[in-house]
Amino acid sequence: MSVPILQLDNVSYTYEEARRPALDGVSLTLQAGDFVAVLGHNGSGKSTLAKCLNAILRPTAGRVLVDGMDTADPSRLLDIRRTVGMVFQNPDNQIVASVVEDDVAFAPENLGVEPREIRVRVDEALRQVGMYEFRLHAPHLLSGGQKQRIAIAGVLAMRPRCIVLDEPTAMLDPVGRREVLSAVRQLRRSSGMTVVLITHHMEECIYADRLIVMSEGRIAMDGSPRAVFSQVEALRALGLTAPETVSLLHSLRAEGWDLPLDALRVEDCAEAIAAYLRRPRGTDTDLE
Amino acid sequence: MLKDITLGQYFPGDTLIHRLDPRTKLIWLVGYITALFLATNVWGYVLMLAVLVLEAALGHIRPKTLLSGLKPLIFIVIFTAVINLFYGSGEALWEWWIFRITADGIRRAVFMASRIMLLICGSFLLTYTTSPLQLTDGLERLLGPLKKLRVPVSELAMMMSIALRFIPTLIEETDKIMSAQKARGASFDTGKLTERARALVPLLIPLFVSAFRRADELATAMECRCYHTGGARTRMKQLVFARRDVVALLVLAVLVAVAIVLRHVGV
Ligand SMILES: Nc1ncnc2c1ncn2[C@@H]1O[C@H](COP(=O)(O)OP(=O)(O)OP(=O)(O)O)[C@@H](O)[C@H]1O
Ligand SMILES: [Mg+2]
């Protein structure tokens, strides 16, 4: 069996001068090609977890292995960071250059890649996020969604095997959100990249293969989005609400409608309700 | 109002001036300033103005753009001129208490003001026609020998390019905070000077707080993209020193020589 791309063994992290650990004994294994979403209310430790994944923070207890490399080993630092790319919430604070293509070239330049190879990588990364036509623009004149796609391209130019996005859509309008999410999904489809998507929006999780819910620095729930979201009460106890589709199905179930709870997408949800309304007569009496 | 600030702004283009190597342009600026300080008479200043106008024309920079860059700095120009006005020697044309204006003073004031304005416009011409990245690359290469003296040249160049990158972002942010404060009744352009200065406090505090947060996040993002000091960085865009650069430097040598000769011509 191949080496997992990310492996966390009992990882804890306590910020200096903090009373409570921000991460408290997290164990987790991700295989190459996984698409994992991470949910959790404010302060549940999501960003701390993300920063432990590429050695921005080193765990105060336990260990993190990136493709078999220990993040506590300073000699592997650059290899770790080029394997796991990271995109943050505010695109303005991630862009270092005044021209789009110069910004995307930043990481390979830091890695000492040959100039001609950098050009190839930059063009490829910009095409992957659909921003090639904007390569000579000034980033500060672009929309939020476009800026965030530039930030993603800047990470892709390192040719990472895994990309971690910490609430990449939190500061964007609905159009920008859609742009960024579709770029991420496209990325996974075309290159089979491992994706860790940290988010506040339930709807963004439904395309993931696996959903992890964090609470108080621990993993509270872990499973397929369908399985996790159908536990409406448990989610509520963690301060989260299920997506609108699941909430609707849940209330209808409370009214006695026999509906599945795992129809996450709007189309699936509509389908399920329609199927229920078209059900052959007599099934109700069986239930009663 | 802040939108007028063109400091560090770059106007992309494909003119001869744009295509020159940034190192050439930096050396040119230093040479131009030297020649400017060599000018002691009308002919010297006329020559420097002519050179500036020619450069602007070649770089397709409109005079209006060049003058608008001067606007935020006009106070410094006036201040220097006024100081010089009272420092002339010779027969007084006008006298009151300790103030004395002489023909020599007027001459000094005009020359000094012209010198500063030409200096500012000349520097702006460089940033208008050179992308920040090229500018810092050029500077880094020119100052490269200082690395032997352990001067962190690459790091300083990186700081400069980031500062230039964030100027528009911070201006936008200042505008936003100003609008927010205005909506709460603050006024920045009326009242006495002290009142105006006091009105700036609620503007500067949020601006600083946000700048520090940005700096922190940017540092993390740069680390994530493998930025590290001490390693050998490569560049996607290599600087090339072409024949036009040699010609430009020769022209500069002639300019400095002419400036020296003009010093010894009367007026
Ligand atoms: N630099 C820091 N110093 C001290 N404590 C911190 C620091 N950063 C975060 N914390 C604390 O660690 C805990 C986890 O924070 P973290 O940022 O990981 O949460 P999060 O899930 O990302 O929250 P959010 O949804 O707001 O982004 C919080 O209690 C927070 O107050
Ligand atoms: Mg966070």
Side-chain angles (χ1 to χ4, degrees):
Chain A
M1 178 156 169
S2 61
V3 185
I5 184 82
L6 285 172
Q7 186 180 342
L8 283 73
D9 296 330
N10 222 356
V11 171
S12 296
Y13 187 87
T14 312
Y15 285 98
E16 271 172 53
E17 295 165 26
R19 264 179 286 120
R20 222 165 40 77
L23 276 187
D24 191 4
V26 172
S27 294
L28 187 62
T29 304
L30 262 65
Q31 298 297 339
D34 282 354
F35 181 2
V36 180
V38 179
L39 263 181
H41 57 78
N42 287 75
S44 57
K46 305 182 299 290
S47 297
T48 311
L49 175 70
K51 285 179 182 156
C52 284
L53 299 181
N54 72 344
I56 292 296
L57 298 178
R58 299 199 179 84
T60 38
R63 62 175 193 165
V64 178
L65 296 181
V66 173
D67 197 18
M69 300 175 280
D70 193 330
T71 60
D73 178 1
S75 68
R76 306 305 298 275
L77 196 63
L78 288 184
D79 287 324
I80 289 169
R81 296 214 173 128
R82 96 163 92 190
T83 307
V84 179
M86 184 105 44
V87 175
F88 296 96
Q89 194 178 85
N90 188 340
D92 275 325
N93 298 350
Q94 303 173 65
I95 292 174
V96 295
S98 312
V99 177
V100 166
E101 61 176 15
D102 294 342
D103 184 73
V104 178
F106 182 69
E109 285 178 344
N110 289 334
L111 290 167
V113 176
E114 287 299 311
R116 220 171 301 144
E117 164 76 7
I118 298 180
R119 182 82 251 174
V120 173
R121 287 190 186 198
V122 166
D123 291 349
E124 186 188 289
L126 283 171
R127 285 211 178 85
Q128 274 179 294
V129 296
M131 288 298 289
Y132 183 71
E133 301 79 65
F134 293 89
R135 64 190 179 284
L136 295 177
H137 283 233
H140 73 271
L141 299 177
L142 299 176
S143 76
Q146 290 173 325
K147 281 192 246 187
Q148 196 61 291
R149 284 189 284 156
I150 300 296
I152 294 174
V155 165
L156 291 179
M158 296 194 289
R159 302 251 164 98
R161 295 185 52 207
C162 174
I163 181 166
V164 178
L165 305 108
D166 188 356
E167 304 197 37
T169 60
M171 301 187 72
L172 306 181
D173 58 11
V175 177
R177 265 174 66 187
R178 228 170 302 142
E179 280 173 22
V180 168
L181 284 181
S182 80
V184 170
R185 281 165 54 205
Q186 177 63 34
L187 203 66
R188 203 175 102 78
R189 266 201 302 274
S190 60
S191 58
M193 178 122 30
T194 314
V195 176
V196 178
L197 175 67
I198 297 172
T199 177
H200 249 98
H201 297 282
M202 312 292 153
E203 300 80 18
E204 293 179 5
C205 303
I206 62 182
Y207 297 101
D209 312 319
R210 179 175 171 190
L211 175 56
I212 290 170
V213 181
M214 302 272 306
S215 175
E216 316 270 306
R218 296 164 196 266
I219 293 182
M221 296 163 89
D222 183 355
S224 73
R226 283 164 183 251
V228 170
F229 282 137
S230 46
Q231 291 166 263
V232 178
E233 308 297 344
L235 280 174
R236 212 166 274 162
L238 294 173
L240 298 168
T241 43
E244 285 170 1
T245 47
V246 178
S247 299
L248 175 63
L249 293 170
H250 189 69
S251 338
L252 289 174
R253 269 168 77 102
E255 295 294 319
W257 294 35
D258 176 33
L259 288 166
L261 263 181
D262 58 0
L264 299 183
R265 302 177 203 204
V266 176
E267 310 89 73
D268 297 346
C269 175
E271 192 81 11
I273 295 172
Y276 176 76
L277 293 175
R278 276 199 309 264
R279 75 198 181 281
R281 290 182 181 285
T283 36
D284 269 359
T285 44
D286 292 348
L287 279 174
E288 277 160 12
Chain B
M1 93 192 234
L2 283 166
K3 292 265 156 48
D4 302 338
I5 297 179
T6 49
L7 177 72
Q9 201 173 323
Y10 166 56
F11 298 102
D14 194 29
T15 67
L16 172 68
I17 303 281
H18 282 87
R19 278 196 302 263
L20 281 175
D21 189 289
R23 286 168 292 185
T24 309
K25 286 190 265 188
L26 281 162
I27 296 172
W28 238 95
L29 182 63
V30 173
Y32 182 80
I33 293 173
T34 313
L36 195 56
F37 278 85
L38 285 172
T40 47
N41 55 39
V42 174
W43 296 119
Y45 283 101
V46 168
L47 172 70
M48 299 317 287
L49 179 65
V51 170
L52 186 83
V53 169
L54 184 70
E55 273 180 49
L58 284 176
H60 291 189
I61 299 296
R62 279 178 298 151
K64 205 178 127 213
T65 317
L66 215 48
L67 290 178
S68 72
L70 217 48
K71 223 193 288 172
L73 299 165
I74 202 74
F75 179 72
I76 300 175
V77 177
I78 294 173
F79 183 75
T80 325
V82 169
I83 292 283
N84 274 279
L85 195 59
F86 299 116
Y87 271 88
S89 53
E91 201 179 319
L93 296 177
W94 179 83
E95 206 164 355
W96 179 73
W97 193 32
I98 54 166
F99 301 111
R100 244 167 66 90
I101 294 181
T102 63
D104 181 49
I106 294 174
R107 199 179 122 100
R108 272 168 173 262
V110 171
F111 279 178
M112 205 36 126
S114 318
R115 183 179 285 178
I116 296 178
M117 286 194 287
L118 286 170
L119 193 144
I120 294 170
C121 289
S123 315
F124 275 169
L125 212 49
L126 175 73
T127 60
Y128 287 164
T129 58
T130 318
S131 80
L133 191 85
Q134 276 201 316
L135 198 63
T136 47
D137 263 9
L139 206 61
E140 185 177 348
R141 292 284 290 276
L142 281 179
L143 298 180
L146 291 181
K147 280 184 197 166
K148 293 218 175 67
L149 300 175
R150 303 205 175 195
V151 178
V153 175
S154 310
E155 288 73 23
L156 290 173
M158 177 61 71
M159 278 166 61
M160 183 177 145
S161 77
I162 286 174
L164 289 172
R165 139 79 183 93
F166 273 91
I167 286 174
T169 309
L170 290 178
I171 289 179
E172 206 173 285
E173 179 142 316
T174 313
D175 256 350
K176 220 185 282 171
I177 298 173
M178 269 177 130
S179 310
Q181 306 286 28
K182 273 185 194 156
R184 294 178 197 147
S187 159
F188 297 100
D189 29 43
T190 56
K192 275 185 275 170
L193 200 61
T194 47
E195 282 171 21
R196 284 203 220 178
R198 203 168 306 141
L200 285 181
V201 175
L203 174 71
L204 291 180
I205 291 175
L207 197 62
F208 270 92
V209 170
S210 120
F212 278 110
R213 201 193 49 236
R214 278 182 196 284
D216 185 43
E217 286 183 19
L218 181 72
T220 308
M222 284 171 69
E223 279 193 298
C224 286
R225 286 163 77 187
C226 297
Y227 182 72
H228 57 286
T229 55
R233 296 190 75 217
T234 47
R235 288 303 147 84
M236 176 168 75
K237 293 170 184 164
Q238 299 289 308
L239 298 182
V240 272
F241 204 78
R243 191 177 304 151
R244 58 173 169 267
D245 294 297
V246 179
V247 174
L249 290 181
L250 287 176
V251 172
L252 178 68
V254 172
L255 175 71
V256 175
V258 172
I260 293 174
V261 171
L262 281 180
R263 256 173 99 83
H264 304 290
V265 180
V267 195

